[in-house]
Amino acid sequence: MNYIMQKSSALDQVWDNFSFMQQIINAHVNRQCAGCHEGGQNEDTIFDLDASRQGFVVQGSNGEFPFLTSSERLEVVSRVRQALPRDKLLLAGSGCESTQATVEMTVSMAQVGADAAMVVTPCYYHGRMNSAALIHHYTKVADLSPIPVVLYSVPANTGLDLPVDAVVTLSQHPNIVGIKDSGGDVTRIGLIVHKTRRQDFQVLAGSAGFLLASYAVGAVGGVCALANVLGAQVCQLERLCLTGQWEDAQKLQHRLIEPNTAVTRRFGIPGLKKTMDWFGYYGGPCRAPLQELSAAQEEALRLDFTSNGWL
């Protein structure tokens, strides 16, 4: 399938048929992938509204991609592509610190089978990453990418919000098809939806903690860490929102807030991997310098799930 096409076609192919709800099922990936013995190769499964697997988000924040070598990043994508039917979408994180490295990684990701690239903001020199710098960066990447590009703003990890004015400008690029916004500012998400409404541009919530609110202001989906372990429940929340069952959606959203916080900003990847083990998946060890949870942290993590009826 050729993804160098008009933006509307790219959107039809990349977004309209897929709900970006994740569940890591990386056990088979780790078994197949050389160089994965330390962990850090979790891959995010995308679910449709019936929670059937439609593809993978590979090397988002929960894939520990900053701790992988370039060759490991490409090998993971290649192995997932080999294991994945051709009609299943593979979205790969290709962001690097420099524009040149990001272009090269994005092209390489496409060559090993990615259908679209999710590009996180460069952040090491975050004091100089203003709108002009980021517009230049993403435009160059999108110009040279053979696959559609998704903007990725995750300020908890980067210390940098992709400015709204930059998002609006970039939404006009024919090869930039959307944004995953993990900042949690629902007014910002609503503003981006409003200001890009005339573009073929999709806004995705970056966390299950504000998924309902994001749908209420016009987002079309979410890429959610919590769905690595509660994929069916996150998809149910999406279904309730899309069908206007807001009271039931609110009740479910409330039960997801504490577990979502636990596997994101409270305990992070170590907490997420531990929870995956509890739910019958393979979480595995973290790649250093990330450390495993202490016994007390593990007990607190378990409480956040049991108190909400999930364990």
Side-chain angles (χ1 to χ4, degrees):
M1 184 177 295
N2 182 7
Y3 279 94
I4 307 174
M5 55 179 70
Q6 293 298 314
K7 189 173 184 180
S8 59
S9 297
L11 279 166
D12 290 342
Q13 297 295 336
V14 177
W15 298 118
D16 290 348
N17 296 327
F18 302 100
S19 170
F20 279 66
M21 301 294 114
Q22 314 172 74
Q23 174 196 27
I24 294 180
I25 55 169
N26 66 312
H28 77 280
V29 175
N30 280 352
R31 286 198 298 267
Q32 297 181 64
C33 180
C36 296
H37 305 298
E38 282 192 61
Q41 276 69 49
N42 296 337
E43 307 313 333
D44 307 333
T45 304
I46 302 160
F47 284 77
D48 66 11
L49 294 182
D50 295 319
S52 60
R53 296 169 187 146
Q54 295 297 311
F56 287 80
V57 176
V58 180
Q59 294 176 35
S61 295
N62 294 308
E64 298 175 81
F65 75 89
F67 298 164
L68 299 174
T69 66
S70 294
S71 61
E72 284 177 324
R73 293 179 69 177
L74 293 173
E75 184 171 5
V76 170
V77 174
S78 177
R79 295 283 182 161
V80 174
R81 182 73 277 170
Q82 292 172 32
L84 205 60
R86 187 62 254 182
D87 64 340
K88 303 300 184 182
L89 177 67
L90 176 54
L91 176 64
S94 65
C96 301
E97 279 301 303
S98 76
T99 302
Q100 179 178 341
T102 303
V103 168
E104 292 175 357
M105 181 61 73
T106 302
V107 171
S108 295
M109 290 290 192
Q111 291 171 344
V112 297
D115 297 307
M118 188 170 70
V119 180
V120 70
T121 51
C123 62
Y124 187 81
Y125 299 109
H126 62 87
R128 297 297 298 168
M129 291 298 103
N130 56 23
S131 292
L134 291 167
I135 289 170
H136 179 271
H137 173 74
Y138 280 108
T139 299
K140 190 71 171 180
V141 173
D143 284 346
L144 298 176
S145 173
I147 52 179
V149 169
V150 180
L151 311 175
Y152 183 20
S153 181
V154 55
N157 291 346
T158 64
L160 174 70
D161 251 328
L162 185 54
V164 171
D165 66 299
V167 175
V168 173
T169 297
L170 292 166
S171 72
Q172 301 171 49
H173 193 289
N175 203 32
I176 296 177
V177 298
I179 183 172
K180 175 190 174 185
D181 194 311
S182 297
D185 184 342
V186 176
T187 59
R188 168 189 157 90
I189 290 173
L191 186 60
I192 291 173
V193 170
H194 175 64
K195 287 186 172 293
T196 62
R197 67 191 183 279
R198 294 186 177 86
Q199 307 300 327
D200 289 325
F201 188 80
Q202 306 297 305
V203 179
L204 304 171
S207 175
F210 50 88
L211 187 60
L212 183 154
S214 297
Y215 273 113
V217 296
V220 298
V223 182
C224 306
L226 182 62
N228 294 317
V229 290
L230 295 179
Q233 291 83 355
V234 174
C235 288
Q236 173 67 7
L237 177 57
E238 179 189 42
R239 183 185 301 112
L240 292 170
C241 292
L242 292 177
T243 56
Q245 300 178 66
W246 295 107
E247 184 175 351
D248 288 341
Q250 184 184 72
K251 292 177 182 177
L252 179 54
Q253 176 73 87
H254 288 165
R255 294 176 60 209
L256 295 176
I257 291 173
E258 285 182 313
N260 180 77
T261 300
V263 299
T264 54
R265 67 174 178 266
R266 188 175 184 194
F267 298 116
I269 289 173
L272 180 60
K273 287 191 168 189
K274 177 58 67 175
T275 311
M276 288 172 59
D277 289 336
W278 293 342
F279 279 83
Y281 302 109
Y282 175 74
C286 299
R287 177 160 286 191
L290 288 176
Q291 298 293 297
E292 307 302 317
L293 298 181
S294 68
Q297 289 172 330
E298 186 174 327
E299 183 59 31
L301 173 65
R302 183 179 291 275
L303 181 61
D304 282 334
F305 279 81
T306 56
S307 64
N308 288 283
W310 302 123
L311 279 173

Short mmCIF file of all heavy atoms in Angstrom, two decimals, residues 182-231:
data_model
loop_
_atom_site.label_atom_id
_atom_site.label_comp_id
_atom_site.label_asym_id
_atom_site.label_seq_id
_atom_site.Cartn_x
_atom_site.Cartn_y
_atom_site.Cartn_z
N SER A 182 -0.32 13.88 25.14
CA SER A 182 -0.30 13.20 26.44
C SER A 182 -0.23 14.17 27.61
O SER A 182 -0.01 13.74 28.74
CB SER A 182 0.89 12.24 26.50
OG SER A 182 0.77 11.23 25.53
N GLY A 183 -0.42 15.46 27.36
CA GLY A 183 -0.24 16.44 28.42
C GLY A 183 -1.34 16.47 29.46
O GLY A 183 -1.12 16.92 30.57
N GLY A 184 -2.53 16.04 29.10
CA GLY A 184 -3.63 16.01 30.05
C GLY A 184 -4.40 17.31 30.19
O GLY A 184 -5.31 17.41 31.02
N ASP A 185 -4.08 18.31 29.38
CA ASP A 185 -4.79 19.59 29.41
C ASP A 185 -5.94 19.50 28.41
O ASP A 185 -5.75 19.63 27.20
CB ASP A 185 -3.83 20.72 29.02
CG ASP A 185 -4.48 22.10 29.10
OD1 ASP A 185 -5.72 22.18 29.12
OD2 ASP A 185 -3.73 23.10 29.12
N VAL A 186 -7.13 19.25 28.93
CA VAL A 186 -8.29 19.02 28.06
C VAL A 186 -8.68 20.29 27.31
O VAL A 186 -9.15 20.22 26.16
CB VAL A 186 -9.47 18.46 28.87
CG1 VAL A 186 -10.71 18.31 27.99
CG2 VAL A 186 -9.11 17.12 29.49
N THR A 187 -8.49 21.47 27.92
CA THR A 187 -8.80 22.69 27.19
C THR A 187 -7.88 22.84 25.98
O THR A 187 -8.30 23.30 24.92
CB THR A 187 -8.66 23.92 28.10
OG1 THR A 187 -7.33 24.00 28.62
CG2 THR A 187 -9.62 23.83 29.26
N ARG A 188 -6.62 22.44 26.14
CA ARG A 188 -5.68 22.47 25.02
C ARG A 188 -6.11 21.49 23.92
O ARG A 188 -6.08 21.82 22.73
CB ARG A 188 -4.28 22.13 25.53
CG ARG A 188 -3.25 21.84 24.45
CD ARG A 188 -1.96 21.30 25.09
NE ARG A 188 -1.17 20.52 24.14
CZ ARG A 188 -0.23 21.04 23.36
NH1 ARG A 188 0.04 22.33 23.39
NH2 ARG A 188 0.45 20.25 22.54
N ILE A 189 -6.51 20.29 24.32
CA ILE A 189 -6.96 19.30 23.34
C ILE A 189 -8.17 19.84 22.58
O ILE A 189 -8.24 19.74 21.34
CB ILE A 189 -7.28 17.96 24.04
CG1 ILE A 189 -5.98 17.31 24.53
CG2 ILE A 189 -8.03 17.02 23.09
CD1 ILE A 189 -6.20 16.06 25.37
N GLY A 190 -9.10 20.42 23.30
CA GLY A 190 -10.28 20.99 22.64
C GLY A 190 -9.91 22.12 21.69
O GLY A 190 -10.48 22.25 20.60
N LEU A 191 -8.94 22.94 22.10
CA LEU A 191 -8.52 24.04 21.24
C LEU A 191 -7.85 23.52 19.97
O LEU A 191 -8.08 24.06 18.88
CB LEU A 191 -7.55 24.95 22.01
CG LEU A 191 -7.11 26.24 21.30
CD1 LEU A 191 -8.32 27.11 20.98
CD2 LEU A 191 -6.10 27.00 22.16
N ILE A 192 -7.04 22.48 20.10
CA ILE A 192 -6.40 21.90 18.91
C ILE A 192 -7.46 21.34 17.97
O ILE A 192 -7.41 21.54 16.75
CB ILE A 192 -5.38 20.82 19.31
CG1 ILE A 192 -4.18 21.46 20.03
CG2 ILE A 192 -4.92 20.03 18.09
CD1 ILE A 192 -3.21 20.46 20.62
N VAL A 193 -8.45 20.63 18.54
CA VAL A 193 -9.54 20.11 17.71
C VAL A 193 -10.23 21.25 16.98
O VAL A 193 -10.50 21.17 15.76
CB VAL A 193 -10.56 19.34 18.58
CG1 VAL A 193 -11.81 19.01 17.78
CG2 VAL A 193 -9.93 18.06 19.14
N HIS A 194 -10.52 22.32 17.71
CA HIS A 194 -11.23 23.45 17.12
C HIS A 194 -10.42 24.12 16.01
O HIS A 194 -10.92 24.40 14.92
CB HIS A 194 -11.55 24.47 18.22
CG HIS A 194 -12.19 25.73 17.73
ND1 HIS A 194 -13.43 25.77 17.12
CD2 HIS A 194 -11.74 27.02 17.76
CE1 HIS A 194 -13.72 27.02 16.80
NE2 HIS A 194 -12.71 27.79 17.17
N LYS A 195 -9.14 24.36 16.27
CA LYS A 195 -8.33 25.11 15.33
C LYS A 195 -7.86 24.28 14.13
O LYS A 195 -7.38 24.84 13.14
CB LYS A 195 -7.12 25.72 16.05
CG LYS A 195 -7.49 26.90 16.95
CD LYS A 195 -6.28 27.57 17.53
CE LYS A 195 -6.66 28.86 18.25
NZ LYS A 195 -7.17 29.91 17.34
N THR A 196 -7.98 22.96 14.21
CA THR A 196 -7.60 22.11 13.07
C THR A 196 -8.82 21.49 12.40
O THR A 196 -8.68 20.60 11.57
CB THR A 196 -6.64 20.99 13.52
OG1 THR A 196 -7.30 20.14 14.47
CG2 THR A 196 -5.38 21.57 14.15
N ARG A 197 -9.99 21.98 12.73
CA ARG A 197 -11.23 21.34 12.25
C ARG A 197 -11.37 21.36 10.75
O ARG A 197 -12.10 20.53 10.18
CB ARG A 197 -12.44 21.99 12.92
CG ARG A 197 -12.69 23.44 12.51
CD ARG A 197 -13.74 24.09 13.41
NE ARG A 197 -14.04 25.47 13.01
CZ ARG A 197 -13.29 26.51 13.34
NH1 ARG A 197 -12.18 26.35 14.04
NH2 ARG A 197 -13.64 27.74 12.94
N ARG A 198 -10.73 22.29 10.07
CA ARG A 198 -10.84 22.36 8.61
C ARG A 198 -9.76 21.53 7.91
O ARG A 198 -9.71 21.48 6.68
CB ARG A 198 -10.77 23.81 8.14
CG ARG A 198 -11.96 24.66 8.59
CD ARG A 198 -11.93 26.07 7.99
NE ARG A 198 -13.10 26.83 8.36
CZ ARG A 198 -13.21 27.54 9.48
NH1 ARG A 198 -12.20 27.59 10.32
NH2 ARG A 198 -14.34 28.20 9.75
N GLN A 199 -8.91 20.88 8.69
CA GLN A 199 -7.85 20.06 8.13
C GLN A 199 -8.20 18.57 8.30
O GLN A 199 -9.02 18.22 9.15
CB GLN A 199 -6.51 20.34 8.84
CG GLN A 199 -6.12 21.80 8.88
CD GLN A 199 -5.95 22.40 7.49
OE1 GLN A 199 -5.53 21.71 6.55
NE2 GLN A 199 -6.27 23.67 7.35
N ASP A 200 -7.58 17.74 7.51
CA ASP A 200 -7.69 16.30 7.70
C ASP A 200 -6.67 15.91 8.77
O ASP A 200 -5.58 15.42 8.47
CB ASP A 200 -7.40 15.55 6.39
CG ASP A 200 -8.51 15.73 5.38
OD1 ASP A 200 -9.67 15.80 5.80
OD2 ASP A 200 -8.20 15.82 4.19
N PHE A 201 -7.06 16.12 10.01
CA PHE A 201 -6.11 16.01 11.12
C PHE A 201 -6.84 15.42 12.31
O PHE A 201 -7.89 15.90 12.70
CB PHE A 201 -5.57 17.41 11.45
CG PHE A 201 -4.44 17.42 12.45
CD1 PHE A 201 -3.14 17.13 12.05
CD2 PHE A 201 -4.68 17.75 13.78
CE1 PHE A 201 -2.10 17.17 12.98
CE2 PHE A 201 -3.65 17.79 14.70
CZ PHE A 201 -2.34 17.49 14.29
N GLN A 202 -6.26 14.38 12.89
CA GLN A 202 -6.91 13.66 13.97
C GLN A 202 -6.20 13.91 15.30
O GLN A 202 -4.97 13.87 15.38
CB GLN A 202 -6.91 12.16 13.68
CG GLN A 202 -7.51 11.80 12.33
CD GLN A 202 -8.98 12.18 12.24
OE1 GLN A 202 -9.77 11.77 13.08
NE2 GLN A 202 -9.33 12.96 11.24
N VAL A 203 -6.97 14.14 16.35
CA VAL A 203 -6.43 14.40 17.68
C VAL A 203 -6.71 13.19 18.56
O VAL A 203 -7.86 12.76 18.71
CB VAL A 203 -7.04 15.66 18.30
CG1 VAL A 203 -6.47 15.89 19.70
CG2 VAL A 203 -6.77 16.87 17.40
N LEU A 204 -5.63 12.64 19.15
CA LEU A 204 -5.71 11.46 19.99
C LEU A 204 -5.29 11.81 21.41
O LEU A 204 -4.25 12.44 21.62
CB LEU A 204 -4.80 10.35 19.46
CG LEU A 204 -5.03 9.92 18.02
CD1 LEU A 204 -3.92 8.97 17.57
CD2 LEU A 204 -6.39 9.25 17.87
N ALA A 205 -6.07 11.38 22.39
CA ALA A 205 -5.69 11.54 23.79
C ALA A 205 -4.55 10.58 24.11
O ALA A 205 -4.54 9.44 23.66
CB ALA A 205 -6.89 11.26 24.69
N GLY A 206 -3.61 11.04 24.93
CA GLY A 206 -2.46 10.22 25.24
C GLY A 206 -2.55 9.47 26.55
O GLY A 206 -1.54 8.90 27.00
N SER A 207 -3.73 9.41 27.16
CA SER A 207 -3.86 8.71 28.44
C SER A 207 -5.32 8.36 28.69
O SER A 207 -6.22 9.13 28.33
CB SER A 207 -3.33 9.57 29.59
OG SER A 207 -3.55 8.94 30.83
N ALA A 208 -5.54 7.22 29.34
CA ALA A 208 -6.89 6.81 29.70
C ALA A 208 -7.47 7.68 30.81
O ALA A 208 -8.68 7.72 31.00
CB ALA A 208 -6.91 5.35 30.14
N GLY A 209 -6.63 8.40 31.54
CA GLY A 209 -7.11 9.23 32.62
C GLY A 209 -7.98 10.38 32.18
O GLY A 209 -8.82 10.85 32.95
N PHE A 210 -7.79 10.85 30.96
CA PHE A 210 -8.62 11.94 30.44
C PHE A 210 -9.26 11.57 29.10
O PHE A 210 -9.55 12.43 28.28
CB PHE A 210 -7.83 13.25 30.33
CG PHE A 210 -6.49 13.13 29.61
CD1 PHE A 210 -6.42 13.27 28.23
CD2 PHE A 210 -5.33 12.89 30.31
CE1 PHE A 210 -5.21 13.19 27.57
CE2 PHE A 210 -4.11 12.82 29.66
CZ PHE A 210 -4.05 12.96 28.28
N LEU A 211 -9.49 10.28 28.90
CA LEU A 211 -10.05 9.84 27.63
C LEU A 211 -11.49 10.32 27.44
O LEU A 211 -11.84 10.84 26.38
CB LEU A 211 -9.99 8.31 27.54
CG LEU A 211 -10.39 7.71 26.19
CD1 LEU A 211 -9.48 8.22 25.07
CD2 LEU A 211 -10.32 6.18 26.25
N LEU A 212 -12.31 10.16 28.45
CA LEU A 212 -13.71 10.62 28.34
C LEU A 212 -13.75 12.12 28.05
O LEU A 212 -14.48 12.56 27.16
CB LEU A 212 -14.47 10.29 29.62
CG LEU A 212 -15.97 10.65 29.66
CD1 LEU A 212 -16.69 9.74 30.65
CD2 LEU A 212 -16.20 12.11 30.07
N ALA A 213 -13.00 12.89 28.81
CA ALA A 213 -13.00 14.34 28.60
C ALA A 213 -12.51 14.70 27.21
O ALA A 213 -13.02 15.65 26.59
CB ALA A 213 -12.12 15.01 29.66
N SER A 214 -11.55 13.95 26.71
CA SER A 214 -11.02 14.23 25.37
C SER A 214 -12.06 13.96 24.30
O SER A 214 -12.21 14.73 23.34
CB SER A 214 -9.77 13.39 25.12
OG SER A 214 -8.74 13.73 26.02
N TYR A 215 -12.80 12.86 24.45
CA TYR A 215 -13.90 12.61 23.50
C TYR A 215 -14.94 13.71 23.56
O TYR A 215 -15.49 14.11 22.54
CB TYR A 215 -14.55 11.26 23.80
CG TYR A 215 -13.89 10.10 23.12
CD1 TYR A 215 -13.23 9.12 23.83
CD2 TYR A 215 -13.92 9.98 21.72
CE1 TYR A 215 -12.60 8.06 23.20
CE2 TYR A 215 -13.30 8.93 21.08
CZ TYR A 215 -12.64 7.97 21.82
OH TYR A 215 -12.03 6.93 21.20
N ALA A 216 -15.20 14.21 24.77
CA ALA A 216 -16.22 15.25 24.92
C ALA A 216 -15.86 16.52 24.18
O ALA A 216 -16.75 17.27 23.75
CB ALA A 216 -16.43 15.55 26.41
N VAL A 217 -14.54 16.80 24.00
CA VAL A 217 -14.14 18.01 23.30
C VAL A 217 -13.70 17.73 21.86
O VAL A 217 -13.17 18.61 21.20
CB VAL A 217 -13.02 18.75 24.05
CG1 VAL A 217 -13.52 19.23 25.41
CG2 VAL A 217 -11.76 17.90 24.21
N GLY A 218 -13.93 16.50 21.38
CA GLY A 218 -13.73 16.26 19.95
C GLY A 218 -12.60 15.36 19.54
O GLY A 218 -12.38 15.15 18.33
N ALA A 219 -11.83 14.81 20.48
CA ALA A 219 -10.79 13.84 20.09
C ALA A 219 -11.44 12.61 19.48
O ALA A 219 -12.62 12.31 19.74
CB ALA A 219 -9.95 13.45 21.30
N VAL A 220 -10.69 11.89 18.67
CA VAL A 220 -11.26 10.74 17.96
C VAL A 220 -10.72 9.41 18.46
O VAL A 220 -11.11 8.35 17.95
CB VAL A 220 -11.01 10.85 16.43
CG1 VAL A 220 -11.67 12.09 15.88
CG2 VAL A 220 -9.51 10.83 16.12
N GLY A 221 -9.86 9.42 19.44
CA GLY A 221 -9.32 8.17 19.96
C GLY A 221 -8.27 8.46 21.00
O GLY A 221 -8.08 9.60 21.43
N GLY A 222 -7.57 7.40 21.41
CA GLY A 222 -6.53 7.58 22.40
C GLY A 222 -5.48 6.50 22.31
O GLY A 222 -5.76 5.39 21.89
N VAL A 223 -4.27 6.84 22.69
CA VAL A 223 -3.19 5.88 22.86
C VAL A 223 -2.89 5.86 24.35
O VAL A 223 -2.37 6.83 24.88
CB VAL A 223 -1.94 6.26 22.05
CG1 VAL A 223 -0.85 5.21 22.22
CG2 VAL A 223 -2.30 6.42 20.58
N CYS A 224 -3.25 4.77 25.02
CA CYS A 224 -3.35 4.79 26.47
C CYS A 224 -2.51 3.69 27.11
O CYS A 224 -2.71 2.51 26.83
CB CYS A 224 -4.80 4.59 26.90
SG CYS A 224 -5.95 5.77 26.14
N ALA A 225 -1.62 4.08 28.02
CA ALA A 225 -0.77 3.11 28.71
C ALA A 225 -1.61 2.08 29.46
O ALA A 225 -1.27 0.89 29.48
CB ALA A 225 0.17 3.83 29.67
N LEU A 226 -2.70 2.52 30.08
CA LEU A 226 -3.50 1.61 30.90
C LEU A 226 -4.06 0.46 30.08
O LEU A 226 -4.27 -0.64 30.60
CB LEU A 226 -4.64 2.38 31.57
CG LEU A 226 -5.55 1.55 32.49
CD1 LEU A 226 -4.75 0.96 33.65
CD2 LEU A 226 -6.71 2.38 32.99
N ALA A 227 -4.31 0.68 28.81
CA ALA A 227 -4.87 -0.37 27.97
C ALA A 227 -3.88 -1.49 27.71
O ALA A 227 -4.24 -2.52 27.16
CB ALA A 227 -5.37 0.21 26.64
N ASN A 228 -2.63 -1.31 28.15
CA ASN A 228 -1.69 -2.42 28.11
C ASN A 228 -2.15 -3.57 28.98
O ASN A 228 -1.78 -4.73 28.75
CB ASN A 228 -0.30 -1.96 28.58
CG ASN A 228 0.31 -0.96 27.63
OD1 ASN A 228 0.25 -1.12 26.43
ND2 ASN A 228 0.91 0.08 28.18
N VAL A 229 -2.94 -3.26 30.02
CA VAL A 229 -3.45 -4.30 30.91
C VAL A 229 -4.96 -4.35 30.97
O VAL A 229 -5.55 -5.40 31.25
CB VAL A 229 -2.87 -4.15 32.34
CG1 VAL A 229 -1.40 -4.49 32.34
CG2 VAL A 229 -3.08 -2.75 32.89
N LEU A 230 -5.63 -3.22 30.72
CA LEU A 230 -7.09 -3.17 30.73
C LEU A 230 -7.60 -2.73 29.36
O LEU A 230 -8.37 -1.78 29.23
CB LEU A 230 -7.58 -2.21 31.83
CG LEU A 230 -7.29 -2.61 33.28
CD1 LEU A 230 -7.81 -1.55 34.25
CD2 LEU A 230 -7.90 -3.97 33.61
N GLY A 231 -7.13 -3.42 28.32
CA GLY A 231 -7.48 -3.03 26.96
C GLY A 231 -8.97 -3.08 26.69
O GLY A 231 -9.54 -2.15 26.11
#
